[in-house]
Amino acid sequence: MKKVAPIETRKSDHIKINLEQDVRSGLTNGLDRYHFIHEALPELDLDKVETSFTLFGKKLAAPILISSMTGGTELAGTINQRLAEAAQELNVAMGVGSQRIAIEDSHQIPTYSITRKVAPNILLFANLGAIQLNSGFGLEECRHAVDMIQANGLFLHLNPLQEAVQAGGDTTFANLAKKIAKICKNLEVPVIVKEVGWGISERTARILAECGVAAIDVAGAGGTSWSQVEMHRAPDDFTRQLAATFVDWGIPTADSVLNVKKAAPGTIIFASGGLKNGLDIAKCIALGATLGGFAGQFLKAAAISTDKVADLVRLTRHQIQVVMFAAGAADLKALRNITLNESS
Ligand SMILES: Cc1cc2nc3c(=O)[nH]c(=O)nc-3n(C[C@H](O)[C@H](O)[C@H](O)COP(=O)(O)O)c2cc1C
């Protein structure tokens, strides 16, 4: 029997390792080879360039998502509160981390529900591992996760590799698609399926589109690598070496966005995974995404203060606005219609 850390210890380890260790993928996000064409005569006023848009019935100030991260410990509750305060102040979207721990232990609910308390108006996403649908969770638990934070949508995350490289991970991924489809069909809010940092292939995109997902968050390779995180918390050398094998694994974010666009046309795409700044988000939008998210970067800011999170959102929003200005895109629809130059 392998040693398995309790879920609360795992959550603390995840935050600590992500803050203190180098957990970056060996791959890049793939966006370096794409370039906007500079427009010297954009015929636009910078302050009139419009970064706002409506998603799932909510108007957002910018196409920015604070990606799903945490909850389930006191520190995680503080981080969620800071992220949500900044999201509320600047009106961007946010996801909480996996809520399994709070469904199994109601004492942990406040570490998640604090988000809605401090951010009554934001587009807020609940989160569960899709694998839980193979371990007894169903529609009821998905509804519970949504109700817990009065979410506007539910992320189901796919993390087969992370589960496979950790001691005692849940690796029974067979027959999951039909259960995801059932949740998509019956849940009252949109269901978005996401990876956690290894991206989405054309085949997976097709299956997810057939499941009826409202959106796909590619969470591609190029940023936080969960095999690297698991390597740092491995209980023995065998597990450490197993996890270390996958440092260069995954589909870079740029390729993942294009995969989904091709294989599941019409499906809303969220871009995340190693995005560095507003320029990367703008490139992803030009490639076909609706918005872009960061996780690791927001975690580091939230570990300091709400203001640091807000500063990062402000800078990112302004970067997007300046990119649009210099590329001659008056709004996000125009940005989506831009064709990027690709260097080999
Ligand atoms: C500390 C931390 C915890 C995370 N926990 C979750 C989670 O519970 N559920 C989930 O769907 N993704 C989780 N993620 C993955 C992120 O949402 C994101 O997909 C991934 O980190 C890639 O983005 P990045 O390169 O900007 O960090 C977590 C990421 C971090 C850094």
Side-chain angles (χ1 to χ4, degrees):
M1 199 43 196
K2 283 189 243 172
K3 231 171 48 199
V4 182
I7 190 164
E8 209 171 324
T9 314
R10 209 156 69 213
K11 298 264 168 191
S12 304
D13 286 353
H14 286 166
I15 293 177
K16 198 168 151 37
I17 291 168
N18 272 285
L19 287 174
E20 294 174 5
Q21 306 286 342
D22 182 358
V23 294
R24 281 172 302 176
S25 165
L27 301 177
T28 70
N29 63 25
L31 291 162
D32 286 355
R33 65 179 192 272
Y34 293 98
H35 307 277
F36 283 96
I37 297 167
H38 173 68
E39 298 297 350
L41 185 62
E43 295 282 40
L44 295 169
D45 296 345
L46 175 59
D47 62 4
K48 300 239 171 60
V49 169
E50 191 51 78
T51 60
S52 71
F53 73 115
T54 300
L55 180 62
F56 301 143
K58 287 253 180 198
K59 188 164 179 188
L60 308 188
I64 298 172
L65 168 71
I66 298 175
S67 291
S68 314
M69 278 187 283
T70 203
T73 67
E74 201 183 325
L75 174 61
T78 304
I79 287 170
N80 271 340
Q81 176 170 347
R82 291 174 179 169
L83 294 170
E85 282 168 348
Q88 173 72 18
E89 183 189 335
L90 295 159
N91 191 19
V92 294
M94 169 182 172
V96 298
S98 171
Q99 291 162 264
R100 175 183 159 198
I101 188 171
I103 287 174
E104 292 173 348
D105 172 8
S106 61
H107 293 103
Q108 298 300 345
I109 289 176
T111 67
Y112 294 89
S113 58
I114 183 69
T115 53
R116 188 48 102 194
K117 210 163 149 193
V118 302
N121 307 117
I122 64 167
L123 182 65
L124 182 63
F125 297 108
N127 190 292
L128 284 173
I131 186 63
Q132 296 310 317
L133 302 176
N134 269 350
S135 315
F137 276 28
L139 193 57
E140 193 186 322
E141 287 75 17
C142 291
R143 283 194 176 124
H144 187 179
V146 169
D147 292 346
M148 191 186 294
I149 59 168
Q150 295 158 56
N152 308 101
L154 171 70
F155 273 121
L156 288 175
H157 67 261
L158 296 170
N159 63 341
L161 184 56
Q162 185 195 3
E163 298 288 351
V165 298
Q166 66 179 275
D170 290 326
T171 49
T172 53
F173 274 73
N175 301 314
L176 207 47
K178 64 175 190 288
K179 294 180 185 164
I180 294 174
K182 191 172 162 207
I183 303 299
C184 292
K185 187 153 181 267
N186 294 295
L187 197 68
E188 292 71 18
V189 296
V191 175
I192 306 105
V193 172
K194 75 186 283 289
E195 235 289 340
V196 298
W198 288 294
I200 298 288
S201 67
E202 286 186 30
R203 178 181 128 166
T204 296
R206 257 190 302 276
I207 297 171
L208 292 175
E210 278 164 23
C211 288
V213 299
I216 296 173
D217 182 336
V218 301
T224 306
S225 159
W226 281 91
S227 52
Q228 290 299 98
V229 177
E230 294 302 338
M231 181 190 79
H232 284 290
R233 54 181 291 273
D236 53 55
D237 212 43
F238 179 93
T239 314
R240 199 164 15 258
Q241 286 188 51
L242 175 66
T245 312
F246 296 92
V247 63
D248 292 336
W249 187 269
I251 305 168
T253 298
D255 303 308
S256 296
V257 169
L258 294 172
N259 286 342
V260 179
K261 189 175 163 185
K262 182 166 170 213
T267 302
I268 294 172
I269 303 171
F270 292 3
S272 70
L275 301 189
K276 293 188 292 292
N277 49 38
L279 172 57
D280 276 355
I281 292 180
K283 285 182 182 178
C284 287
I285 292 172
L287 291 178
T290 291
L291 55 67
F294 312 147
Q297 289 201 68
F298 278 124
L299 178 71
K300 292 188 176 88
I304 301 169
S305 67
T306 300
D307 282 349
K308 286 280 176 212
V309 181
D311 286 348
L312 180 57
V313 174
R314 258 187 230 106
L315 174 63
T316 306
R317 185 187 60 195
H318 200 62
Q319 287 166 332
I320 295 170
Q321 197 175 30
V322 174
V323 169
M324 291 168 69
F325 176 63
D331 55 26
L332 292 170
K333 191 161 167 254
L335 179 59
R336 224 163 283 139
N337 283 329
I338 281 180
T339 303
L340 299 178
N341 273 344
E342 185 180 358
S343 55
S344 44

